[in-house]
Amino acid sequence: MQDNLRINGDRLSQRLQELAQIGRIAGDGVCRLALSDEDRAGRDRVVGWMRDLGLAVKIDTIGNVVGVRAGREDGPPVMTGSHIDTVRTGGRYDGTLGVLAGLEVIATLNDAEITTKRPVAVAFFTNEEGSRFQPDMFGSLVYTGELPLAVALATKGIDGLTAGDELTRIGYAGPEPVGQPRAHAYVELHVEQGPVLEAGGFRIGAVEGVQGISWSEFTLTGQSNHAGTTPMRMRKDAGYVAAKIAVFARKLAKEIGGYQVATVGALTMSPNLVNVVPNHVVMTVDLRNTDEARLQEAERRLFAYADEIAAAEGVGLTRRTLARFAPVAFTPNLVDRVEAIAKDFGLPVKRLPSGAGHDAQIMAAVCPACMIFVPSVGGISHNVEEYTAPADLAAGADVLLRLVLELAE
Ligand code: GLV
Ligand code: MN
Ligand code: MN
């Protein structure tokens, strides 16, 4: 085992900065919504790097990209990676760190002229974020067979465009069958996107699992009417019902406590005019918990309250599930290895659950899987100000390198 091998932190930071120029937005953030022109340009850049590093690039029919480095023996590769799509107001590290650290692992192996026993692969999955097309993580869901390809391709985005059409338009509807190559194991490096590591002075997170995620969309239909002449008792105010649901979700999360969180992240109101009672609202609620029973309780109570408050106002309500994932536990001995390797490197390490969704939780259904976290300054993410110090990026990539080497031998 090459215990002294380390990645090149400057080269990793250089690639991160270069990719961040594609879809760059004000404040040093990034907007590369899945299957957009910016996503295409980002994909082209990463595929170019993969080819420069000598990887065999495979693109499947949902646009997942896997670059494979041959081993001394054939067989399923040890896979690492993440995603390069972003939310509309994203930062520079969410997803891209995992992909570019994977390329840095490959570059390091190339420089040291090491051929591992098993192949090593770097993947980026289509539409991890789910901001444009729901559910999130749909590239990895199709890869593992949990979501039928045809359903994913037919998915309509927030702009009304269809995922399959957009995939073809950007030139990433590839020829490879989904689910190939199969992975021997999957390891993903990611920024924590929360405050725990920084607050405790930890450099590495050994991620034990990912909390459950429930995304719902409510459509409320009332009656638009004159804001001055309509008595309060005669209103069918969809905006009022939306506000009550949003406040209830917040109170519910506090009441259930622990890891329970609740977010109303999208809300559109019509006709959205100062002097008209709103007749139409579409809103989303994101509920998450590490405990499936508590998450189900949160759903039950939220849905019951929404029905009740809508009925009382004479407002129609329909509800649609946009995404639903049960909590996932990562492979215990891999979590242990992340912890042990960090300790070996003298890096303060903490075991913790992930609050965000990740492709690794989907991959965990088909192979041993785990994640490595590095601290996010101020716990800020899904925000242009997302930041992780270069030394922490490099430390995470070093832990990744060591674990990939172990798994590939
Ligand atoms: C993906 O980033 C999510 O957890 O929302
Ligand atoms: Mn991510
Ligand atoms: Mn994200």
Side-chain angles (χ1 to χ4, degrees):
M1 179 73 49
Q2 292 78 6
D3 283 356
N4 298 323
L5 202 61
R6 295 289 183 276
I7 62 92
N8 180 334
D10 290 339
R11 188 168 53 187
L12 171 60
S13 288
Q14 183 71 36
R15 281 211 180 90
L16 279 162
Q17 292 316 318
E18 204 177 319
L19 190 55
Q21 303 314 308
I22 299 175
R24 182 175 175 167
I25 55 175
D28 250 351
V30 182
C31 175
R32 281 193 306 266
L33 285 174
L35 311 184
S36 61
D37 288 343
E38 293 77 18
D39 186 18
R40 174 199 352 223
R43 285 165 172 266
D44 289 350
R45 180 67 51 89
V46 175
V47 167
W49 283 329
M50 284 178 166
R51 295 215 162 101
D52 292 346
L53 289 166
L55 301 182
V57 176
K58 299 173 192 300
I59 305 174
D60 72 15
T61 45
I62 193 64
N64 296 321
V65 176
V66 185
V68 183
R69 184 178 193 268
R72 299 194 299 278
E73 296 175 7
D74 284 340
V78 174
M79 195 180 283
T80 186
S82 192
H83 61 98
I84 63 163
D85 68 314
T86 72
V87 299
R88 200 193 295 282
T89 51
R92 286 166 285 167
Y93 306 96
D94 177 358
T96 58
L97 172 62
V99 179
L100 300 187
L103 294 189
E104 182 50 40
V105 165
I106 300 291
T108 304
L109 296 179
N110 287 356
D111 290 350
E113 297 179 354
I114 291 169
T115 305
T116 50
K117 181 170 149 223
R118 297 174 204 286
V120 175
V122 181
F124 61 89
F125 294 97
T126 296
N127 184 42
E128 188 276 345
E129 290 291 4
S131 281
R132 186 180 180 199
F133 301 99
Q134 289 96 36
D136 50 342
M137 303 177 280
F138 95 179
S140 47
L141 281 169
V142 172
Y143 173 96
T144 62
E146 248 182 279
L147 180 68
L149 173 66
V151 173
L153 292 175
T155 303
K156 282 220 184 321
I158 51 173
D159 45 17
L161 299 174
T162 303
D165 294 344
E166 287 293 274
L167 188 62
T168 303
R169 184 185 69 79
I170 68 165
Y172 274 88
E176 302 286 336
V178 290
Q180 299 294 329
R182 277 178 43 240
H184 171 72
Y186 181 79
V187 185
E188 180 170 346
L189 171 64
H190 205 284
V191 288
E192 181 201 343
Q193 309 182 268
V196 175
L197 295 180
E198 183 189 48
F202 298 102
R203 305 271 316 275
I204 297 291
V207 187
E208 296 181 293
V210 180
Q211 65 181 348
I213 302 175
S214 164
W215 285 359
S216 303
E217 180 188 81
F218 295 88
T219 301
L220 308 171
T221 310
Q223 185 178 53
S224 61
N225 209 337
H226 197 292
T229 62
T230 313
M232 298 312 286
R233 66 187 159 76
M234 289 179 65
R235 294 182 182 218
K236 297 182 165 114
D237 185 339
Y240 167 72
V241 173
K244 292 288 275 188
I245 292 172
V247 171
F248 182 83
R250 172 91 178 196
K251 282 209 289 226
L252 181 67
K254 278 192 136 170
E255 220 175 281
I256 293 175
Y259 281 107
Q260 183 64 51
V261 288
T263 307
V264 173
L267 191 153
T268 53
M269 189 145 78
S270 329
N272 208 28
L273 297 168
V274 63
N275 55 352
V276 183
V277 175
N279 70 332
H280 192 75
V281 170
V282 181
M283 67 188 292
T284 60
V285 183
D286 173 324
L287 298 173
R288 306 195 195 199
N289 201 317
T290 50
D291 182 307
E292 175 63 21
R294 294 222 170 92
L295 183 57
Q296 286 183 20
E297 177 198 336
E299 288 175 313
R300 225 173 18 246
R301 288 173 63 185
L302 176 76
F303 300 161
Y305 178 83
D307 286 343
E308 183 190 309
I309 192 75
E313 182 73 1
V315 164
L317 178 150
T318 57
R319 179 170 53 78
R320 192 161 75 93
T321 300
L322 300 179
R324 182 64 167 89
F325 301 100
V328 170
F330 288 131
T331 310
N333 71 308
L334 292 187
V335 182
D336 290 347
R337 284 312 300 150
V338 172
E339 191 177 27
I341 292 168
K343 282 186 179 153
D344 235 38
F345 286 167
L347 299 164
V349 54
K350 180 177 174 64
R351 299 173 79 100
L352 77 174
S354 170
H358 298 289
D359 294 307
Q361 83 193 74
I362 309 302
M363 292 299 285
V366 296
C367 65
C370 72
M371 293 189 77
I372 303 158
F373 274 177
V374 286
S376 293
V377 170
I380 302 274
S381 185
H382 284 186
N383 181 321
V384 296
E385 285 172 23
E386 180 180 81
Y387 183 74
T388 297
D392 288 335
L393 301 171
D398 275 329
V399 174
L400 177 69
L401 170 66
R402 173 74 77 87
L403 185 52
V404 166
L405 269 172
E406 281 185 16
L407 289 166
E409 282 306 331

